[in-house]
Amino acid sequence: MDMSHRPRRLRSDGVRSLVRETELSASDLVAPVFVDATTDERVPIGSMPGHTRVPVDQAAERVREVRETGVEAVIVFGVPESKDAEGSRAWADDGVVQRAVRRIVEETDAYVITDVCLCEYTDHGHCGAIESGARADPHMTVDNDRTLELLAKTAVSHAEAGADMVAPSSMTDGMVGAIRTALDDHGFESLPIMSYAAKYESAFYGPFRDAADGAPAFGDRRHYQMDPANGREATREVALDVEEGADVLLIKPALAYLDVVADVRETFDHPVAAYNVSGEYAMLHAAAEKGWLDLDAVAHESLLSIKRAGADLILTYFAEDVARRL
Ligand code: PBG
């Protein structure tokens, strides 16, 4: 047996860190923040231990807590005071995200990203305006082209409130181009777009839908979010967003889609983001609660793996916990 190759030589304590390929840092992480216009106190999110929905007047304080851990960026989600068929509270100047962002920008130095979608704002819970008759017919779905205009208005209103970056997540064809044009028309040509470029129709979003109250009232999202079976299609999806002017390419979910993260890293030069989603967070917490997993260890290992696969930045509910221990 030829024993000249012994990879174990580089695993001793002194050298391990010298040859380590991947490092996690607080500056890679983005912490999701939920702001709720229907409450005046923090409401714990049952399926996401440690997370709450905060009232608008605590949004800045919540972001300061994130900043204290070393995490520099947040992504803001809103729960509006009311919903309608088109989701008009999404682009209202006094909407929940707009009010919260103004406060956060004024009172903190965090980098503020906003999620641009309509599912939390529509009474039917879909990510855009729906075709007439869609409520009765499971084959009908979101009216793609009409939704573009609503998303564009929403993105502009977030920019006007002071957002540093917008992140459209509705999987509407053409959304990046429509938002880019609208932002440019309103003087926000320097504001970057992080596109949820390959977002899958995933069962891992379950706990988020409790958190943001955005579950579809009928049907599901399979006509606009991607089929979990498809990897090559992600390259096409992402290429379209690149052409339309996306600045950062986001893959979602993360852990079950690391092949997609790696492919996108390989194929494109843009920064790649991965969203370590609510279900990925909840399942580790659930197992840890039973004493079956060491939560800190699996959280760290999950984020490290997402980076190793090729993500530059990670949106994660573990951001604060992991950053605190780095
Ligand atoms: C809005 C949106 C969702 C998530 C982020 N933005 C929900 C969905 O598409 O159903 C999910 C985030 C998570 O599960 O952590 N469209």
Side-chain angles (χ1 to χ4, degrees), residues 228-244:
N230 295 355
R232 291 191 307 272
E233 187 193 350
T235 313
R236 290 180 50 218
E237 260 289 354
V238 173
L240 293 172
D241 286 10
V242 166
E243 252 171 62
E244 292 172 31

Side-chain angles (χ1 to χ4, degrees), residues 16 18 50 78 121 126 143 168 189 219 228 292:
R16 278 169 72 86
L18 288 173
Y121 302 87
H126 280 285
D143 182 335
E189 48 283 285
W292 294 347

Side-chain angles (χ1 to χ4, degrees), residues 53-256:
R53 316 204 291 212
V54 305
V56 173
D57 64 9
Q58 286 188 41
E61 183 187 319
R62 175 78 196 92
V63 172
R64 275 197 296 274
E65 294 163 8
V66 171
R67 286 289 295 112
E68 276 160 21
T69 67
V71 173
E72 294 162 13
V74 294
I75 179 161
V76 179
F77 294 93
V79 178
E81 48 290 282
S82 63
K83 306 186 185 220
D84 57 31
E86 298 225 302
S88 64
R89 296 304 297 168
W91 58 86
D93 188 45
D94 62 348
V96 56
V97 167
Q98 291 79 357
R99 285 190 287 144
V101 166
R102 279 195 200 94
R103 304 278 278 267
I104 295 168
V105 169
E106 209 167 288
E107 296 175 39
T108 80
D109 62 354
Y111 189 80
V112 181
I113 306 169
T114 56
D115 184 82
V116 177
C117 195
L118 300 174
C119 58
E120 295 113 280
Y121 302 87
T122 52
D123 55 13
H124 44 72
H126 280 285
C127 301
I130 50 174
E131 296 171 338
S132 52
R135 279 172 212 263
D137 179 353
H139 299 292
M140 292 184 80
T141 177
V142 166
D143 182 335
N144 191 87
D145 296 8
R146 198 151 63 86
T147 298
L148 290 175
E149 170 199 330
L150 310 181
L151 293 170
K153 281 199 277 195
T154 303
V156 168
S157 76
H158 290 178
E160 284 169 343
D164 295 303
M165 179 188 270
V166 292
S169 67
S170 59
M171 287 301 276
T172 314
D173 290 340
M175 68 183 184
V176 173
I179 290 172
R180 184 72 272 156
T181 304
L183 288 173
D184 292 356
D185 286 349
H186 287 79
F188 296 110
E189 48 283 285
S190 301
L191 196 108
I193 299 174
M194 173 163 68
S195 175
Y196 286 69
K199 176 173 177 180
Y200 285 88
E201 201 247 337
S202 170
F204 285 105
Y205 305 150
F208 175 92
R209 293 180 184 171
D210 296 340
D213 190 25
F218 61 89
D220 53 43
R221 305 203 203 286
R222 74 185 188 284
H223 295 148
Y224 44 102
Q225 298 181 347
M226 283 182 59
D227 183 342
N230 295 355
R232 291 191 307 272
E233 187 193 350
T235 313
R236 290 180 50 218
E237 260 289 354
V238 173
L240 293 172
D241 286 10
V242 166
E243 252 171 62
E244 292 172 31
D247 299 284
V248 180
L249 308 172
L250 187 146
I251 314 303
K252 178 180 174 190
L255 290 175

Side-chain angles (χ1 to χ4, degrees), residues 254-255 274-278 280-281 302-303 306 314-318:
L255 290 175
Y275 199 140
N276 178 225
V277 300
S278 57
E280 301 173 40
Y281 177 82
S302 297
L303 301 192
I306 295 167
I314 306 171
L315 285 68
T316 177
Y317 304 98
F318 287 117

